[in-house]
Amino acid sequence: MCGQSPDMARIAELARAHGVRLIEDASHAIGAEYLGAPVGNCAHSDITVFSFHPVKIITSAEGGMALTNDFGLAERMERLRSHGITRDPDQMTHTPDGPWYYQQLELGWNYRMTEMQAALGLSQLDRLDAFVARRRKLAAGYDAALADLPLRLPGRIDGAESAWHLYVIRLDDAARHRAVFGALRASDIGVNLHYIPVHLQPYYRRFGFTPGDFPIAEDYYSRAISIPLHAGLTDVEQQTVVEALATEMMA
Ligand SMILES: Cc1ncc(COP(=O)(O)O)c(C=O)c1O
């Protein structure tokens, strides 16, 4: 969440104890580290996924990437990406009929990334370290500038270095949430809210979920504001955000 890894070693221990496979959603966390190693190395999970949607740390315009250290899973994901079809004789049920031969072993999808998207993704990957370094600098700037305001700064855990996809503050006074959010938007500051608890969405409500089911998520929702953070944000722009927020919080 937001670029910050959870304590994956503990989650992996829990998963092992219950015989559960673990897929890490690291859509926010490319460039982050956990226990000195990059998020995505699957040291504590079976698969890690990244999103390269345009709002993410790096983009391939759309699409993403799934990583694994398990050859069986890699083979299966590769097949499912392209309709469940293989051209690898080792995966086939019998010797190929001829050099044209392929086999459909299961029903997959068209999840192929285009060459153009891949080219953009690769050029973005070259810039990953610089993007994350800038995000970390901006996050440290917010940490220092907002420390004395009546709000909670983003959480961290020991041993994890965030990639800072998002910088989410939580207001001490939930009653001021809408006014502060509205005032910042009215000042042309691109604040946002990540995220609306999923159980409150109509799709999940149909399964019987109701407000009150997840009070911690709902409390978070009543206080959270994502303030601008991206590699292109200048020091002057960040100062404008800080000043607008401080003015509004003291109002
Ligand atoms: C945590 C998380 N997981 C998954 C996704 C979905 O990513 P995509 O739209 O690339 O499939 C998002 C997108 O915002 C996300 O924030």
Side-chain angles (χ1 to χ4, degrees):
M1 175 76 172
C2 302
Q4 160 83 57
S5 174
D7 194 348
M8 284 305 299
R10 282 186 63 201
I11 294 174
E13 205 179 300
L14 194 65
R16 256 195 313 276
H18 294 277
V20 168
R21 298 273 236 166
L22 211 48
I23 299 175
E24 252 179 297
D25 181 350
S27 295
H28 293 187
I30 194 163
E33 282 143 46
Y34 173 68
L35 303 182
V39 166
N41 69 354
C42 295
H44 308 280
S45 63
D46 297 288
I47 300 172
T48 305
V49 297
F50 291 126
S51 164
F52 299 149
H53 180 270
V55 302
K56 296 301 194 305
I57 293 175
I58 60 168
T59 186
S60 55
E62 266 293 359
M65 181 164 68
L67 302 172
T68 183
N69 294 319
D70 179 324
F71 284 103
L73 285 175
E75 221 170 68
R76 179 115 198 266
M77 288 193 286
E78 217 171 349
R79 245 189 353 252
L80 289 173
R81 175 174 64 193
S82 202
H83 304 298
I85 285 169
T86 186
R87 291 182 181 275
D88 176 0
D90 291 342
Q91 293 183 37
M92 292 182 186
T93 55
H94 59 75
T95 313
D97 295 350
W100 63 85
Y101 196 63
Y102 60 86
Q103 273 192 350
Q104 178 154 29
L105 295 174
E106 56 194 323
L107 274 184
W109 298 272
N110 176 357
Y111 280 180
R112 293 184 298 267
M113 183 182 270
T114 67
E115 296 287 313
M116 281 181 295
Q117 286 174 300
L120 173 59
L122 285 172
S123 79
Q124 286 268 291
L125 200 56
D126 285 341
R127 303 170 70 188
L128 176 64
D129 290 348
F131 287 162
V132 171
R134 177 65 184 154
R135 286 171 175 276
R136 286 183 175 154
K137 191 159 182 288
L138 288 163
Y142 278 140
D143 287 348
L146 306 179
D148 296 329
L149 295 179
L151 47 83
R152 250 171 97 174
L153 299 178
R156 278 95 161 147
I157 62 157
D158 287 342
E161 284 293 330
S162 181
W164 291 107
H165 169 50
L166 298 171
Y167 194 97
V168 179
I169 55 168
R170 277 175 279 175
L171 307 191
D172 290 347
D173 183 1
R176 299 232 45 230
H177 186 238
R178 190 178 287 261
V180 171
F181 192 99
L184 291 168
R185 276 272 176 98
S187 306
D188 257 353
I189 292 176
V191 287
N192 222 322
L193 209 168
H194 301 92
Y195 290 95
I196 304 166
V198 286
H199 69 288
L200 302 179
Q201 295 287 4
Y203 176 79
Y204 293 97
R205 294 287 287 273
R206 286 210 298 273
F207 296 104
F209 292 109
T210 57
D213 282 346
F214 298 96
I216 296 175
E218 290 166 30
D219 181 69
Y220 169 93
Y221 179 47
S222 71
R223 301 170 190 278
I225 301 177
S226 305
I227 59 176
L229 179 68
H230 56 89
L233 193 73
T234 66
D235 292 347
V236 172
E237 286 167 340
Q238 182 177 40
Q239 193 52 36
T240 307
V241 175
V242 167
E243 280 164 18
L245 186 58
T247 306
E248 199 46 44
M249 297 295 302
M250 297 308 175

